[in-house]
Amino acid sequence: MTDNATDTVFVEPGCCSGLETWRDWLEVLDGTGCSYFGHDPSSMAERVGDTVRLTLDAHAKDGSPVIELPVDQVRMLVTGAQQDLQDFLSLAGTWAEQHLPAHAAAVTAALARALDLGPTQ
């Protein structure tokens, strides 16, 4: 997530914010309304009414850049990311069937677990 007006990057993939944590965004949208995405900086997303506020560093002493987006827009982005991951899993399963037929089911299941996705049909 990048604010093009300020060139602020909210969160980048790292040790605490990888593809496998995509469901944390659902917690922001439909759960507790808050989730943290890493450290140094301590990025946080929180739902405030119909807005999702992304704070680059929740622990910054002098304030932090903030990006605000409508909940519906964040939901659309999360749904798109989920579909992209599901599509990747499907393609990886097809590849595994062609190149690792004896292990295709295990490879696909392991990827599904790593990406926190259900199995493909």
Side-chain angles (χ1 to χ4, degrees):
M1 186 73 58
T2 301
D3 181 347
N4 293 329
T6 64
D7 287 331
T8 299
V9 176
F10 169 65
V11 65
E12 293 185 15
C15 64
C16 299
S17 58
L19 293 174
E20 71 281 1
T21 61
W22 70 271
R23 287 187 186 272
D24 289 358
W25 289 98
L26 297 177
E27 190 66 22
V28 174
L29 296 170
D30 302 319
T32 64
C34 184
S35 192
Y36 290 86
F37 294 92
H39 53 84
D40 299 328
S42 297
S43 300
M44 179 178 82
E46 60 185 326
R47 183 169 178 169
V48 182
D50 291 334
T51 301
V52 174
R53 180 180 299 139
L54 312 174
T55 304
L56 178 64
D57 189 352
H59 301 302
K61 296 187 187 319
D62 297 328
S64 174
V66 172
I67 300 169
E68 292 187 339
L69 298 166
V71 167
D72 291 343
Q73 184 178 2
V74 175
R75 189 175 307 282
M76 184 180 68
L77 291 168
V78 171
T79 299
Q82 180 184 10
Q83 186 60 56
D84 288 347
L85 290 171
Q86 197 67 51
D87 291 346
F88 168 78
L89 181 61
S90 179
L91 289 170
T94 300
W95 179 91
E97 288 171 3
Q98 294 171 353
H99 298 279
L100 306 166
H103 305 286
V107 168
T108 303
L111 279 172
R113 282 191 307 276
L115 296 173
D116 199 8
L117 294 169
T120 60
Q121 276 52 311

